[in-house]
Amino acid sequence: MQKLEAGIHHFQANYFASNRALFEQLAVAGQRPETLFITCSDSRVVPNLITNAAPGELFIVRNVGNIVPSVDHGILGGVSAAIEYAALVLEVGNIIVCGHTSCGAIDAILHPERVAHLPHVSRWLGESSNIPRLIEQRYGTLGPEERMTAAIEENVLAQLENLRSFDFVARRLDSGALKMNGWVFKIATGEVFDYDPTSGQFAKLG
Ligand SMILES: [Zn+2]
């Protein structure tokens, strides 16, 4: 906590002092973010840092496993509220779902028995309970590490599909008002990979 307090002081004396006009303008004009950024709660994923985005540029939803429950049969709550607000009020032009390497949630999705003693985690990750079967079917011959990578990627793609289950998202995608991207952030190298629907592969950005 002391470290965080010292951090606040550092922020105010440095970043805020240098960008005071931006904050004052944002306070008066309100936010107009271009992007809804959906990622994992993992502390090693820092959206503004990895995209060099300024305050006011990313509308962020974080949860365990960067999951978007389907509107048809999922747990509706904070995630769906944020998507609705971002799409219909803020009218964001992009939605990014960003998974990451060594994600504890994906490990738990592949091995639900490891979190059986955590009822809230188990229930939440149940939203991606179709992933293990899919990995078995498509990547059954791969080793554990490659399977983990595949599960991280497939989980991102599953959330892009779930986003489409919201009629207002589907409408805006079809009209071209909205674009969606699926990313994976590689913690050890700082690289970001973007899903290319044409090749069916994740390709390095930047
Ligand atoms: Zn994670």
Side-chain angles (χ1 to χ4, degrees), residues 17-93:
S18 309
N19 294 275
R20 181 181 293 276
L22 169 64
F23 284 93
E24 286 174 354
Q25 193 253 330
L26 285 170
V28 174
Q31 61 170 335
R32 211 76 201 137
E34 262 293 290
T35 301
L36 165 60
F37 198 94
I38 301 170
T39 193
C40 187
S41 299
D42 193 298
S43 61
R44 297 165 295 178
V45 182
V46 187
N48 289 75
L49 194 63
I50 65 177
T51 60
N52 196 34
E57 291 182 355
L58 299 180
F59 191 73
I60 301 176
V61 174
R62 306 191 69 150
N63 63 59
V64 175
N66 40 268
I67 287 171
V68 176
S70 164
V71 77
D72 306 316
H73 50 76
I75 303 171
L76 298 180
V79 177
S80 48
I83 294 166
E84 187 175 63
Y85 190 77
L88 297 181
V89 179
L90 300 174
E91 298 182 323
V92 297

Side-chain angles (χ1 to χ4, degrees), residues 85-104:
Y85 190 77
L88 297 181
V89 179
L90 300 174
E91 298 182 323
V92 297
N94 306 299
I95 303 180
I96 292 165
V97 176
C98 182
H100 66 97
T101 52
S102 62
C103 181

